[in-house]
Amino acid sequence: MARGLYRVYLYVVTIALCIFATVGIALALGAILATTPLRGTYYGANGASEVTQQIIFAVVAVLIAALIGGLHYWLIRRDMASDPQPGASGVRSLLLNLAVGGATLFAVGMGASALQSYSFNNQNDVATPLAASIATLGLALLLEWERRRATPSHGAALIFQRLRIDGVGLILGIMLASFVIPAGMQSETAIAQATSGQACTNFVGGPYTPYSGPEIAQCAGPFILGHWLAVALILIVWLAYLRPGAFDQKSTIRAVILLIGFAVGVGVALNGLVQAFGYILRLLFRSAGTSAPDYLNAFNFAPFLVYGAIAIGVYLWLLRQPREQEALGPDATRLSLRAVAGALFAVPFWVGAFMLVENVLLSILPNPTLKATYWYDASAASIAGIPYILLALWLAAGTRETGVKGPRRAFDLALLAAGALATAGGLATLIYAVLTSALGVPLPNWQDVARVAGSILIAGLALGGLYLWISLREGQFVGTPKPQAAPATTGEPQPANALLSGVLAKLAGGSISQDEASREILDLARRGSLT
């Protein structure tokens, strides 16, 4: 315990001082780069005094970090020399992997932001995020070099390393979405401006260059290259972290994180599908004489579908690799993919069902101040969620075929829990709204609150009732049978088949493991009891 706390102190102080020095270097580098055209036309150039101040601060920060941090690093080296297995230290692995992962994410994020800010008219500030990215990249490389001096091979230290590699890969995948979607929207805007002849400007004023022209949109074309360069940077680093066979040993952690990444891709694609069906329904069933729905500003679904296709394709390919299937098994991996996708597609399906019920209630009990305006949205959500039914049936068929019940059970219980919570919340809110009105202290617009709560209650009862029936039919609530007791032994010799049957019965009942059963059978064979 005392040695663990001592190591926490050493690594926390050393890493904190390295971060302090990195901040100083980033500020100085940013001030230097701001004297170049990288600062953009929006802000003015730094003065010589400001640049000198930042350089002095960087020198001071590096010197202090070198003196105090160097002392602590010497203590770290001495502590490692006295440890026969320094790579097995959980404290070292945890803190270094946290620092390396955080520095990597920050460096990539700042680098992508710098590229995204790039434009042909050199308007945006690229110096600040570029300096932060370069300095933090140096920190990440330094910490990674130190981490590799003693790599773990087992235990908690190896778990922390795997969490860092797979966790950073997952976060990079989510970060990629935040850059792919704006890049796609920017590209679509540029195409629309070029094809429709829409007026735009390549200049926007700043504190030192005020703009007094007409109120027109900014041209999107000059920013497309920077957006897609940022996407390329994150994509390359993301794929490097997701490389198959990152470890020789199978890892349940990696399999679970890959499933989470797959779920993120499905969720983003679902968002795009709901918007796409909403746009199509409004386009097909709009009233005569009304204009078409505004795709760019209200239903821009293509970038969501693009990212969803990328993420789903990458994670499906990874999870189909033999090495990645070793942790859960090929059958369990395939069924887990179906369960995850089915659960996600169930969300818009049942949300759409709730919205349809609400519109029906609003038609039956009209409100003069509120119109049923959710038909398009409700229908779009329900249509986008239809694959949920097919995935649920496919999951059930795969479960019957393989006998692997875990993914199907998790899927059923998750939807049962959603139905139970929706039923409880809807019922409680409905009773509350009705009782307060009956007692003369009604809520503002209590009829609307009661109608929404009633709609949630009906949808929750349908969802919960369906999966309660399925769970009961499938025996989801049946407990695990107790292991059978081993047959009593007597002092008289028993036949060989009785001894062997006893060992096999204990194995089948779960009272002994497979390895223990093997040892007992070998022991019987050595004693000649099986002849």
Side-chain angles (χ1 to χ4, degrees), residues 333-503:
T333 301
R334 287 194 296 270
L335 294 179
S336 296
L337 287 169
R338 299 176 195 178
V340 169
L344 290 171
F345 273 96
V347 174
F349 181 86
W350 287 102
V351 170
F354 148 72
M355 296 171 70
L356 290 171
V357 171
E358 184 183 6
N359 282 334
V360 170
L361 292 180
L362 187 58
S363 301
I364 298 173
L365 305 171
N367 186 331
T369 62
L370 188 64
K371 297 181 179 180
T373 58
Y374 298 113
W375 290 112
Y376 289 129
D377 296 331
S379 301
S382 297
I383 294 172
I386 287 177
Y388 139 73
I389 300 174
L390 303 177
L391 288 165
L393 295 175
W394 194 20
L395 175 62
T399 301
R400 290 191 297 270
E401 179 183 352
T402 62
V404 178
K405 299 181 179 180
R408 170 74 185 282
R409 184 170 191 175
F411 174 80
D412 291 345
L413 293 179
L415 292 180
L416 176 60
L421 292 175
T423 301
L427 181 61
T429 306
L430 179 62
I431 294 175
Y432 173 64
V434 172
L435 281 180
T436 53
S437 176
L439 296 175
V441 286
L443 299 171
N445 299 324
W446 73 271
Q447 298 96 334
D448 296 336
V449 175
R451 185 186 63 256
V452 172
S455 303
I456 295 175
L457 176 60
I458 293 172
L461 285 172
L463 175 60
L466 172 63
Y467 281 94
L468 178 61
W469 173 73
I470 291 176
S471 299
L472 292 174
R473 187 191 64 178
E474 300 290 335
Q476 304 285 19
F477 303 116
V478 177
T480 305
K482 294 182 179 180
Q484 299 178 359
T489 59
T490 62
E492 300 178 359
Q494 300 185 40
N497 59 348
L499 294 173
L500 182 59
S501 298
V503 175

Side-chain angles (χ1 to χ4, degrees), residues 26-40 46 51 125-132 134:
L27 291 174
L29 183 59
I32 294 171
L33 292 177
T35 61
T36 70
L38 290 175
R39 71 179 183 277
N46 289 335
V51 175
D125 175 26
V126 180
T128 301
L130 180 61
I134 293 173

Side-chain angles (χ1 to χ4, degrees), residues 146-500:
E146 171 59 25
R147 188 194 66 79
R148 292 194 177 191
R149 291 183 57 251
T151 56
S153 58
H154 64 278
L158 183 60
I159 292 175
F160 293 142
Q161 178 177 303
R162 286 173 168 169
L163 283 173
R164 190 260 304 177
I165 292 179
D166 297 325
V168 168
L170 176 63
I171 297 172
L172 285 171
I174 298 172
M175 186 187 297
L176 181 65
S178 65
F179 283 84
V180 167
I181 293 172
M185 292 181 175
Q186 196 80 358
S187 300
E188 290 175 331
T189 302
I191 294 172
Q193 290 173 346
T195 56
S196 65
Q198 180 183 353
C200 63
T201 178
N202 283 323
F203 179 79
V204 175
Y208 305 99
T209 52
Y211 176 69
S212 57
E215 293 292 334
I216 57 178
Q218 187 175 12
C219 293
F223 298 93
I224 293 177
L225 180 60
H227 275 279
W228 288 109
L229 286 175
V231 170
L233 172 63
I234 299 176
L235 183 63
I236 291 171
V237 181
W238 178 52
L239 293 178
Y241 266 90
L242 288 181
R243 65 192 186 280
F247 299 99
D248 293 331
Q249 301 175 355
K250 62 183 180 180
S251 171
T252 305
I253 294 174
R254 180 173 174 84
V256 171
I257 291 179
L258 291 179
L259 285 172
I260 295 174
F262 171 76
V264 172
V266 173
V268 174
L270 260 175
N271 187 5
L273 283 176
V274 172
Q275 295 184 58
F277 285 116
Y279 176 77
I280 293 171
L281 290 175
R282 285 175 171 83
L283 187 65
L284 294 177
F285 299 103
R286 71 181 189 273
S287 303
T290 59
S291 59
D294 187 355
Y295 168 76
L296 284 178
N297 296 317
F299 300 97
N300 200 336
F301 56 83
F304 293 90
L305 296 179
V306 169
Y307 171 78
I310 293 173
I312 291 172
V314 169
Y315 283 109
L316 272 179
W317 177 74
L318 285 171
L319 286 166
R320 291 176 65 88
Q321 300 301 310
R323 184 182 298 277
E324 307 297 353
Q325 294 183 350
E326 290 179 0
L328 301 179
D331 293 334
T333 301
R334 287 194 296 270
L335 294 179
S336 296
L337 287 169
R338 299 176 195 178
V340 169
L344 290 171
F345 273 96
V347 174
F349 181 86
W350 287 102
V351 170
F354 148 72
M355 296 171 70
L356 290 171
V357 171
E358 184 183 6
N359 282 334
V360 170
L361 292 180
L362 187 58
S363 301
I364 298 173
L365 305 171
N367 186 331
T369 62
L370 188 64
K371 297 181 179 180
T373 58
Y374 298 113
W375 290 112
Y376 289 129
D377 296 331
S379 301
S382 297
I383 294 172
I386 287 177
Y388 139 73
I389 300 174
L390 303 177
L391 288 165
L393 295 175
W394 194 20
L395 175 62
T399 301
R400 290 191 297 270
E401 179 183 352
T402 62
V404 178
K405 299 181 179 180
R408 170 74 185 282
R409 184 170 191 175
F411 174 80
D412 291 345
L413 293 179
L415 292 180
L416 176 60
L421 292 175
T423 301
L427 181 61
T429 306
L430 179 62
I431 294 175
Y432 173 64
V434 172
L435 281 180
T436 53
S437 176
L439 296 175
V441 286
L443 299 171
N445 299 324
W446 73 271
Q447 298 96 334
D448 296 336
V449 175
R451 185 186 63 256
V452 172
S455 303
I456 295 175
L457 176 60
I458 293 172
L461 285 172
L463 175 60
L466 172 63
Y467 281 94
L468 178 61
W469 173 73
I470 291 176
S471 299
L472 292 174
R473 187 191 64 178
E474 300 290 335
Q476 304 285 19
F477 303 116
V478 177
T480 305
K482 294 182 179 180
Q484 299 178 359
T489 59
T490 62
E492 300 178 359
Q494 300 185 40
N497 59 348
L499 294 173
L500 182 59

